[in-house]
Amino acid sequence: RQATIRSSPNAAAGAVVTVPLASLTGAPAGSFVAALNVTAIGSQAGSLTVYRCGTTPPKLPSMGYLPGQIRNASVLVRTDATGRACVRTTGGADVIVDLMGAFDAGADIHPFAARRLLDTRSSARVPANTTVRLPLVGVAGTPGVPALTAGVVGVTAVAPTANGNVVAFPCGSTPPPNAIVNYTANRGSANAGIVGVGPGGALCVRSLAATHLVVDYAGWTGAGVTAFAPRRVLDTRVPG
């Protein structure tokens, strides 16, 4: 956990929280496009919107949530001139924001029709706390490192045996505490994100509980894109 901002125990309905991003090591100075993974833990029904500070929040929210529900969403947002993003909630919720990556002007991004890297539904579930390595080099023409810096992936947990989460991270690094997907027992859950690769050009996924996993690969990034091990920049939950 690189950086944490803790505000009130719960972001109240109508609250706007400012999230500074440019101060983090490796993030560009000034305005840039940030890749964020946002989690809402609802205490009331509502919605959450991520937007550029100093502008009017858009009418279309980034996600909705219900009381007791944990929801994830991947969001691309341009920060203001000082590198800040804003988060607004319409119903009480704890909010967690993890910085996954940053895009410079002229960033090298290569999207394509999604290719399935992993689907365990026709076999056994991935055991709890087991790391699965997913090589990207050569898939849909993906080059090796250092031209390759990160992959754009969708991760789905199907029929998990218990409550838990899935983390995605560069292979060869320590699994982060920050999840790309949260799930509850026997219910599927999905999210997408930009995940850095290890020296061999692979990313890894790991689930807290046994579950089927589906991973789709929809593009790769190169120069001008900085992919981080997820950095926590906002967590409104009460410490401890």
Side-chain angles (χ1 to χ4, degrees), residues 34 36-40 46-52 57-65 71-78 85-90 95-97 190-192:
L36 305 176
N37 187 49
V38 184
T39 303
S47 62
L48 177 152
T49 304
V50 183
Y51 61 101
R52 182 175 184 171
K59 293 181 179 180
L60 184 65
S62 304
M63 74 169 83
Y65 49 83
R71 293 291 306 278
N72 295 92
S74 291
V75 178
L76 294 177
V77 60
R78 177 166 290 282
C86 282
V87 180
R88 182 179 185 272
T89 55
T90 64
V95 179
I96 303 167
V97 179
N191 195 16

Side-chain angles (χ1 to χ4, degrees), residues 123-190:
S123 57
R125 290 179 173 88
V126 176
N129 297 311
T130 299
T131 297
V132 180
R133 185 176 186 271
L134 302 172
L136 302 186
V137 178
V139 179
T142 302
V145 175
L148 168 67
T149 61
V152 180
V153 294
V155 180
T156 304
V158 181
T161 58
N163 295 350
N165 59 56
V166 180
V167 296
F169 55 99
C171 293
S173 65
T174 301
N178 317 42
I180 191 170
V181 174
N182 291 283
Y183 52 74
T184 55
N186 300 313
R187 295 187 63 181
S189 186

